[in-house]
Amino acid sequence: MVRPEKILKELSNLWVDLGHEEQQESDTAGAGVLRACSMTFVTIADESEDPSNLGETVAMLMKEHPSRSVLIRLRPCDDQVLESRVFAQCWMPFGQRRQICCEQIEITASLASLDDVPGVVLPLAVADLPVILWSRSPRLFDMPAFPRIAAMCDKLILDTDAFTSEQHAFDLLSAELKGERLVADLAWSRITRWRETVSQIFVNEECLNALPSFTRVVVEYGSAKPKPEAIYLAAWLQNCLSAVGSKTHVDLLHSEGPVISAVTLSAGGTCDVSIRSAGGGAVEVSANRLSTKSFFPEPSDYLALQEELSITRRDPAFDAAVPVASQYARQLQ
Amino acid sequence: MVNHMAGENPFHDPLRFERKVPECAVVIFGANGDLTKRKLMPALYRLAFERRLSPGFAVIGISRTPMSDDQFREKMRESVQKFLEDSPFDENVWSSFAQGLFYMAGNVDDAKCYTDLKQCLEGVEKQRRTGGNVLFYLSTQPSQYGPTATGLGVVGLNKGDGWRRLVVEKPFGHDLASSRELSTTLHKVFVEEDLYRIDHYLGKETVQNILALRFGNGIFEPLWNRRYISHVQITAAESIGVEGRGAYYQEAGALRDMIQNHLLQVMATVTMEPSASFQPNSVRDERSKLLRSVRVMRPDEVARYAVAGQYGPARLGGENVPGFRQEQGVDPQSQTDTYAAATFFIDNWRWAKVPFYIRSGKRLPKRVSEISIQFHEAPHAVFGNGFAEKAIPNLLILRIQPEEGVSLKFLSKRPGTGMTLRPVSMDFNYGSSFGERSPSAYETLLLDAITGDATLYTRQDMVEASWAVVEPILEVWQTSRFNFPNYAAGSWGPTASDVMLAQHGHVWRKP
């Protein structure tokens, strides 16, 4: 049995202990620790997931998005299991004398106890600050408890890459987007660097003016079938081209390489654009007969979440991309 | 579906994409100098590292030293590796960035330099497709600002297919007359809208945050006036001496070097009226209006409201530290102020009779820049004076460097059965709330100049208004004979500075 009041009491004691410890170790009287919190960040993951990887991601995020972190680990059993523990995530910022600490609460819940989770987590949300829910487990969405768990959050973050069926993931997203809640997909965040590079090319007026004459636009993917990232990129390009009146269809083509291996826009020689993965995070950017090299950081949950946690309003480009991506996924089935 | 206007980039996503540098060439005069090596090139490299540079971006460095493009690239690489702050150096990013670096040897006093530059720019424009946009950056001796701008005008480089802008580093003249003279020369070649007078203090994140704190929140502005604020202290302290810049500093002094530009601009940011929008000229109009409201001292008021100081030798941290007059290149009888403090009043409805104490100095106990806003004490001591360990009025401290942030100091009951009050601090720490790296002032300001945003740049009327404020002090000091040195290195400045505040019943805060 887990009682939220007990967890809050444990948190309170934790801060008092941390303050005492720090004062005993520090030469500066009254230095204490700095408690930082800008949101409640709830993560739901299967218990089978490597806890150290997940913990590392959450710890890295704390520095930029300090939060009260609530990690719910789903145990696949029919027994009634609901356990909790609290601890602090602390770090010493470079050149400073005072530690910064964030709270972490870990709750282990069996599938049979999932219904009890909202009642425990809701009182743990920090008042007046947003509640963000990152669901790493795709099966959560199909569980009866999901609407009650999702109801407590201001933003829901999922990853369509984790779903076995892209079509199912996009359908779920489309349904979520009809509501008031903010919704984000890490697969969409992972293509920001690609989208940004395309956009940067079209700052050039010559390229921008050539936009209506592009007759062939292709997204090349390296996986056996296109992953959500490649589908999103095609959907987004399709939307952008439609917005300027172009009827050109964006094609998805298989080639060797990473999840997205290239984007090419051709206007029959008058203006050709290509962004091609060159390995090791490098991409070759060719536009208007000028070639440069750019570097994309290695995609990770941390980077994608870092981006998503910074966005506190609806993302019109994402909202518009989801239905088109859903159509692509349907055609690819 | 997101609809786009004709001519707009349909791929742009302001929610997620950072502001980008459009295609352009940056021409740096004084490319072999310290500013280029320490600040400009690391800032441009950082923009490249963050993928903010357009493929059509180039830098042309100009200085007298003969060098090939490759030698210049190698030199700049060493500088970036040495002076890059809070950021890794990436070999791949550098090699891509370095392809856009070019060098031209030239003497800015020689007309040939400008014809050569014109030719060089044409070549670079073809090779890099910079779209005819050029940002000229004067990182030279101030005496060369006028001749360089004139030289650019003679060969027609001030106009072209794209935009042309000129960035000028401080000092903008050494007094009001020379500032106007410089401005007249520059205006013959560039219109005011294309002139960017850089004050790197205004590019600091925490100075910009003053605007966010004041105008993004509802709770501070109602208190932001004479009714609630007793006085304001602005401090910019350096723990180091002149560090080999003795010859330059001897001609400038603390009042000219810090207060006339940086600190008066900071004061204007703290005290200006809210602008109707965050458009460059709206914000600058308000800053300028404020600077014109600062009361100009009469010569007979200078001794009362301004203090000059110069540090003497001392023993600090187990070693002997020379006094200013013992520094290399400094006249042993120098009358230069290495410390300056002044009391200013702003003659407007909001700030009437509120003293603004500004101080800046070298060889003070620590490096710190902050604005301390002291509120009036509670009108009635409910708890009586015996209840507080020390009577401390509320203080709002805006820390610019180091440990950037905001603190509010107030009294709180000490736990226990008795009613004992103790001052406590409520802190907002910039670094802990926003873990991401803050861009350097030069990154922000270079990006602003290239994208045509002059909000954080100083306009000529602001320069003239601030010269008008400090000039009476300078004139009196120039005809005075000070008994220097009057403070020991490592102390908080001359005693006269404390006396200046004591006449209003105030004391300097020790940051």
Side-chain angles (χ1 to χ4, degrees), chain B residues 77-185:
Chain B
R77 173 207 179 89
E78 285 167 14
S79 304
V80 170
Q81 281 180 313
K82 188 172 176 188
F83 297 113
L84 195 61
E85 288 173 5
D86 313 325
S87 173
F89 180 84
D90 187 305
E91 201 63 52
N92 289 320
V93 174
W94 175 261
S95 65
S96 177
F97 171 70
Q99 285 173 15
L101 300 186
F102 302 89
Y103 183 78
M104 197 195 97
N107 178 354
V108 292
D109 297 326
D110 183 356
K112 187 175 174 299
C113 174
Y114 303 98
T115 47
D116 287 353
L117 174 60
K118 194 171 185 178
Q119 208 175 356
C120 177
L121 261 172
E122 282 167 3
V124 168
E125 203 174 306
K126 262 190 204 146
Q127 191 183 332
R128 301 285 301 175
R129 298 178 197 281
T130 53
N133 303 318
V134 187
L135 181 80
F136 298 103
Y137 199 112
L138 303 188
S139 173
T140 60
Q141 293 292 324
S143 59
Q144 291 174 330
Y145 292 169
T148 308
T150 307
L152 292 171
V154 168
V155 295
L157 278 173
N158 55 332
K159 292 185 178 75
D161 294 338
W163 49 257
R164 301 291 158 109
R165 296 178 191 134
L166 181 73
V167 181
V168 188
E169 275 281 341
K170 74 154 186 140
F172 316 120
H174 52 86
D175 54 21
L176 182 57
S178 58
S179 142
R180 283 183 175 152
E181 194 184 326
L182 172 65
S183 176
T184 306
T185 308

Side-chain angles (χ1 to χ4, degrees), chain A residues 63-64 96 98 100 188 193 195-196 199-200 204 208 211 236 240 243 288 293 295 307-308 311 315, chain B residues 2 7 9-11 13 16-18 20 23 51 53-54 92 96 128-129 427 429 432 435-436:
Chain A
K63 294 181 186 173
E64 283 149 45
Q96 294 195 17
R98 189 156 51 162
I100 301 172
W188 169 257
R193 297 285 87 81
R195 297 196 302 121
E196 196 174 25
S199 170
Q200 179 71 358
N204 178 291
L208 187 61
L211 248 186
W236 172 71
C240 294
N288 216 3
K293 209 175 221 183
F295 295 88
E307 184 174 317
E308 283 309 331
I311 294 171
D315 176 351
Chain B
V2 185
N9 179 358
F11 301 104
D13 183 350
R16 288 175 192 260
F17 302 167
E18 296 277 11
K20 291 287 196 283
E23 48 200 13
R51 299 173 301 275
L53 297 184
S54 145
N92 289 320
S96 177
R128 301 285 301 175
R129 298 178 197 281
D427 290 330
N429 185 302
S432 63
E436 60 248 63

Side-chain angles (χ1 to χ4, degrees), chain B residues 294-314:
Chain B
V294 180
R295 190 187 303 165
V296 176
M297 287 179 210
R298 293 193 312 267
D300 62 304
E301 290 176 319
V302 170
R304 189 176 170 208
Y305 290 128
V307 173
Q310 189 187 85
Y311 63 87

